[in-house]
Each structure stands twice: as structure tokens, then as C-alpha cells.
Amino acid sequence: MPGQPKREVFIEIIQMGGSVKVSAIDPDTGTEVSIVGPPSAGEELLTRNAVNKLNYMLAKRRGDSDSGDDDGGWRA
């Protein structure tokens, strides 16, 4: 979102056979989520999806009613 400071997110990408596992970790809360997708999807899309899932989980834990899929100002 405009005007929001960037927050740090750790990203780990691991090739596992014909799939790629992408983990996104919030260092402030220790929350970690993972997704698995095809390598053909591309690193950017897979990373964005993992960050969106992380943002959703963090919003859910906070009890936010709007846990949309914006990137939340992340930087890897």
C-alpha cells in the first residue's frame, strides 16, 4: 500500500523434482507458510503467491476482516 513502510519477509525457494516449494517467513512473528507450484510459473509469481498467503495468515491471526491479496509492501 502507498505510504506504508516496507516490511521484511524471508523467502526460501527449493526445487523438488518437478515442483518448486516457496516458503515465506515473517521474522517479527516467526510465522511461516509454504506453497508448491510448477517451475514454469516463474519465481516472481510463486514468490508473490507465498507472500500473499503469508499476509492472509497474519491478517487472520490479527482478526482482520479484510485479508485481501495485496503484497503488503514486502521486500525479499
Side-chain angles (χ1 to χ4, degrees):
M1 287 183 147
Q4 274 192 336
K6 297 277 185 186
R7 66 180 176 85
E8 191 170 34
V9 174
F10 298 131
I11 302 295
E12 178 182 59
I13 301 171
I14 299 173
Q15 176 91 31
M16 298 177 3
S19 299
V20 177
K21 177 182 176 187
V22 181
S23 298
I25 304 128
D26 177 55
D28 295 331
T29 64
T31 302
E32 178 177 349
V33 299
S34 296
I35 65 162
V36 176
S40 62
E43 188 176 308
E44 183 180 344
L45 177 64
L46 293 170
T47 298
R48 186 175 343 125
N49 287 342
V51 171
N52 286 342
K53 183 175 179 180
L54 177 62
N55 289 333
Y56 171 81
M57 291 304 298
L58 291 172
K60 189 173 174 181
R61 285 188 178 174
R62 286 191 309 263
D64 289 358
S65 59
D66 176 30
S67 47
D69 62 354
D70 109 7
D71 72 2
W74 71 280
R75 71 176 191 281

